[in-house]
RNA sequence: GGGCGAGUAGCUCAGUUGGUUAGAGCGCCUGCCUUACACGCAGGAUGUCGGGGGUUCGAGUCCCUCCUCGCUCACCA
């Protein structure tokens, strides 16, 4: 890209389609997104590193609005830091997504009439690998389309050889530290995916079921106990009925035996204070240790047998210890069908007392939504308590902040009650557990390297069949992507710890909390200093967008229609901190209008500038002597300073000062919608609406002043483009490359240009504010009196009441008369008579704008309007006077507040005086 | 059931340690094709700040209470 001014004028319409792909390629070719570890201060360089690791999308994922939103946020932040001079690194990558990917491939082969078991493990993994290689990573290409400025030379993949090594290292280290153990207990089992799940992967959802009351008769026939259950089919695996030891209803029955209907086995009545709430149901609990986590605990306490009556597929079966509990007619029946049948059988046996409707939370597989079955099995677990401690402490000590704040409480709450993490999955797609068993001597070996023979007896070593939870690789992401476990890795030294972690709240526990634990656990340091949780994209009914619900928006459709920048601007501008973004999938035109309109506006400002400023090089503002600046120049330069300050303040400090967030900065920054609004207001409402209009007269004339206007205009637009680059990188790059400003201080791309800095030389420009006031006044008068917009009108300035400002006011209006006349079609003379009748508006300087309007004014209407206004003012003034007369207020309120009120009193009193004169004049 | 949060203009949300005419964007109404832009320009309307009570000279802001939503965790069978 060249800095030479354009030789062809800008086309009237911005065409994103023809520019975006080319531009993106130019950025890539120039390597501006590639970070250099040598530049990082941590490795002796002179730049602060600023690092974001991308939440890796599933390798099979296709871009949706959620990705669009989340990655745009990350890109805005990283582009901002890059311009600020940080060595900015955004690490992209994908997740192999164990269960999710396996499910996709299983579906494919199911269509061919096969199962993975028909294929065998090796062939299935090969097939999945092939699938992932061919179609996977599509999403990364799509992320390029939304402008993501990732360092693609560092693209990572959780199942790559490098990251697999990290996974194995992590497992072995935890094992060495005694934090990994094999447990035999009831876990969540998905009978469709045929794997165990972690607590987080088994999601609760409220369901209306039934509470079945079943009578179990005593074996001696003397009495019976009624139990309540939501899962009657599991009664076949009951091994006892527990009651509270102090429960008077049942005390005398403890120790006796019951005859379990259908299964026809004898089970004892036991007492358990911990596991039984006498208030609930009938106060008697059936104990099914193999199919309920709570019952498993009680079963363990009382050393009860644990018969299994369900197959892994969720079919009724006589498993371990079950004997012949499941009768022949139920064998092989699905658990839900079996529930119906058991209920029927209980009815026939006349032991079903009643069925109550009952709402309770049922766990579902987060991947296939199948109802999860509690199931007794052997799994590998990570002991989480020791890992959670530093993760909790880091947030309490403000080493890590979570935005928005409310999620911190959720985070703390979860970590305080953390339970051990089941990390083994009975899947084929993933990192195989690095544990080997020796069938000869029973030795269990945990190893970094594959082994084929037992290190103890030399017998054949057999690797554990299971793979690790996909999140076991994810929680290492902030350092595994930087080279860990090679602690000498230059990337690791230069870029760890990272800075911001930007993701959706759904994976706060799955991923974010575990990454923090992993960061401390393996690196001894927090993996990042800020967690920013973005909102959710929803439709107009506040329903979360999803492909399955059909209410999604394809970001690529939006890009095709309105361009990437319009998409980015719309989502960023609409995204309050942690707030959801509502978009209408049925009306893209309306949903993305803010972005499209803004981009068009920017384009047109650029067109005006390039046409009217001309193509000869503009002198840098620094070469313009301050005394050549006019009041409008000083005004816009001051507004620019304010805009820069507002953007900086909204974006906030990039990092904590000494590794710990100070209270005052803890909740500041990353308010992207505020930053966007500040930049928008400057470029649209100030630069375009006022300053640009004011330069039209100057640019049309020849002479020195034309060069001043050109310099200021170009300077301001240049700065505006820089402020906007992170949000709308493509159009700003396109326009910036054509700006005819001197080449000094410019790199090749705005994407790596310097972030604008405040220049404190420009104080508030009061004179130009006066001009704006006058213009607004004339506009209002024209609207109030319904004067045709095209009609040329005359007015005069009455400066007689403005005291010492009178001559200044007259000078200002004389000098700005061309501009005022052009913009309002109203000529203001400064030497007219002061007593002339007409509509008037008072300016803050005390001068008055008077439009002679004899004959045009509807006196009656005006009179009424003025009277209403006067009344309102009078009421407020009375209140104000009362307040100031109240010693309670004047004595206790802060002095500055009282002073402000006094000031107001003076102003209002003057205005009331003026208004009453007006009323007299109008109403007679 | 535990924890947390929210209820401010038709919609989405700002409102900093209480300070007195409550703001923005979008939408809506009116008028304008003013030679960068109708994806634009100018003007305008709109709120018992969820209800009730309290503290205070003063409450959208602090306290209590009620109502309504939302998020999150959870082995009451």
């Amino acid at each position: 890209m060249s800095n030479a001014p354009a030789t062809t004028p800008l086309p009237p319409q911005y065409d994103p389609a023809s520019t975006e792909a080319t531009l993106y390629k130019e950025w890539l070719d120039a390597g501006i997104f590639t970070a250099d570890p040598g530049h990082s201060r941590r490795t002796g360089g002179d730049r602060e590193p600023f690092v974001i690791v991308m939440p890796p999308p599933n390798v099979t994922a296709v871009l949706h609005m959620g990705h669009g939103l989340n990655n745009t946020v990350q890109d805005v932040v990283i582009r901002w830091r890059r311009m600020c001079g940080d060595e900015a690194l955004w690490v992209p990558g994908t997740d192999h997504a164990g269960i999710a990917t396996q499910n996709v491939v299983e579906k494919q082969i199911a269509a061919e009439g096969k199962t993975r078991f028909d294929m065998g493990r090796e062939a299935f993994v090969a097939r999945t690998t092939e699938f992932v290689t061919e179609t996977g990573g599509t999403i990364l290409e799509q992320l390029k389309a939304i402008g993501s400025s990732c360092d693609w030379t560092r693209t990572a993949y959780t199942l790559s050889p490098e990251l697999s090594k990290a996974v194995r290292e992590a497992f072995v280290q935890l094992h060495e530290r005694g934090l990994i153990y094999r447990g035999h207990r009831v876990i969540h089992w998905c009978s469709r995916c045929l794997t165990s799940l972690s607590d987080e992967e088994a999601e609760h959802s409220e369901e209306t079921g039934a509470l079945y009351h079943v009578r179990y008769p005593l074996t001696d026939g003397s009495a019976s106990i009624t139990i309540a259950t939501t899962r009657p089919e599991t009664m076949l695996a009951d091994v006892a009925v527990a009651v509270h030891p102090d429960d008077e209803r049942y005390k005398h029955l403890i120790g006796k035996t019951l005859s379990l209907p259908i299964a026809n086995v004898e089970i004892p009545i036991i007492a358990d204070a911990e596991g039984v709430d006498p208030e609930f149901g009938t106060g008697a609990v059936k104990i099914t240790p193999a199919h309920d986590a709570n019952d498993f605990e009680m079963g363990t306490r009382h050393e009860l047998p644990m018969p299994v009556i369900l197959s892994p597929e969720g079919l009724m079966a006589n498993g371990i210890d079950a004997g012949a509990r499941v009768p022949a007619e139920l064998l092989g029946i699905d658990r839900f069908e079996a529930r119906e049948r058991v209920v029927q059988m209980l009815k026939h046996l006349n032991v079903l007392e009643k069925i109550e409707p009952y709402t309770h939370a049922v766990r579902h597989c987060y991947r296939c939504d199948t109802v999860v079955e509690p199931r007794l099995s052997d799994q590998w677990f990570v002991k989480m308590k020791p890992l959670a401690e530093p993760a909790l402490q880091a947030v309490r000590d403000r080493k890590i902040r979570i935005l928005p704040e409310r999620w911190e409480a959720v985070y703390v709450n979860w970590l305080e009650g953390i339970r051990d993490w089941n990390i083994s999955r009975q899947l084929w797609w993933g990192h195989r557990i690095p544990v080997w068993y020796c069938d000869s001597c029973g030795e269990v070996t945990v190893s970094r390297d594959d082994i084929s023979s037992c290190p103890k007896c030399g017998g054949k070593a057999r690797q554990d069949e299971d793979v690790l939870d996909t999140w076991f690789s994810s929680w290492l992401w902030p350092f595994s992507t930087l080279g860990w476990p090679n602690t000498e890795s230059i990337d690791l030294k230069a870029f760890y710890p990272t800075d911001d972690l930007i993701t959706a709240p759904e994976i706060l526990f799955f991923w974010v909390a575990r990454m923090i634990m992993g960061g401390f656990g393996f690196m001894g340091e927090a993996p990042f200093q800020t967690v920013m949780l973005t909102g959710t994209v929803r439709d107009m009914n506040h329903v979360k967008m999803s492909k399955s619900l059909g209410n999604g928006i394809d970001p690529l459709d939006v890009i095709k229609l309105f361009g990437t920048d319009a998409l980015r601007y719309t989502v960023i501008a609409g995204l309050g901190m942690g707030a959801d973004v509502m978009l209408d999938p049925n009306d893209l035109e309306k949903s993305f209008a803010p972005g499209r309109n803004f981009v068009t506006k920017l384009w047109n400002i650029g067109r005006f500038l390039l046409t009217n400023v001309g193509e000869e090089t503009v002198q840098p503002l620094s070469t313009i002597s301050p005394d050549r600046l006019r009041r409008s120049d000083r005004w816009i330069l001051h507004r620019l300073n304010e805009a820069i300050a507002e953007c900086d303040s909204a974006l906030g400090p990039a990092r904590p000062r000494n590794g710990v967030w100070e209270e005052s900065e803890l909740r500041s920054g990353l308010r992207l919608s505020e930053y966007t609004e500040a930049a928008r207001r400057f470029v649209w409402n100030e630069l375009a609406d006022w300053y640009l209009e004011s330069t039209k007269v100057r640019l049309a004339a020849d002479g020195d002043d034309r060069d001043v206007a050109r310099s200021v205009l170009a300077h301001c637009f240049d700065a505006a483009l820089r402020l906007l680059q992170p949000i709308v990188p493509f159009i700003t790059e396109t326009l910036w490359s054509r700006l005819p400003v001197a080449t000094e201080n410019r790199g090749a791309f705005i994407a790596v240009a310097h972030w604008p800095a405040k220049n404190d030389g420009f104080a508030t420009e009061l004179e130009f504010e006066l001009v704006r006031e006058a213009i607004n006044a004339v506009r209002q008068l024209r609207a109030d009196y319904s004067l045709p917009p095209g009609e040329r009108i005359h007015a005069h300035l009455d400066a007689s009441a403005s005291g010492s400002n009178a001559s200044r006011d007259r000078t200002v209006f004389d000098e700005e008369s061309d501009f005022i006349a052009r913009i309002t079609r109203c000529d203001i003379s400064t030497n007219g008579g002061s007593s002339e009748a007409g509509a008037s508006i008072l300016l803050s300087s005390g001068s008055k704008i008077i439009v002679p309007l004899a004959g045009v004014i509807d006196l009656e209407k005006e009179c009424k309007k003025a009277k209403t206004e006067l009344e309102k003012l009078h009421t407020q003034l009375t209140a104000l006077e009362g307040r100031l007369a109240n010693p309670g207020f004047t004595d206790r309120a802060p002095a500055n507040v009282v002073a402000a009120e006094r000031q107001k009193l003076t102003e209002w009193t003057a205005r009331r005086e003026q208004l009453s004169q007006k009323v007299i004049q109008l109403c007679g």
Side-chain angles (χ1 to χ4, degrees), chain A residues 255-291:
Chain A
K256 299 200 169 181
T257 57
L258 294 162
S259 168
L260 185 63
I262 302 176
N264 291 321
V265 293
E266 283 187 21
I267 57 172
I269 299 169
I270 61 170
D272 192 300
E274 270 179 72
V276 183
D277 173 8
E279 302 299 313
F280 185 85
T282 62
V285 190
K286 68 197 258 310
I287 305 298
T288 322
H291 297 285

Side-chain angles (χ1 to χ4, degrees), chain A residues 181 183-187 296 375-379 381 420:
Chain A
Y181 66 95
H184 178 74
R185 66 175 67 161
V186 170
I187 43 76
F296 173 77
R375 184 161 187 267
L376 188 60
S377 71
D378 291 311
Q379 307 288 340
F381 292 87
D420 287 354

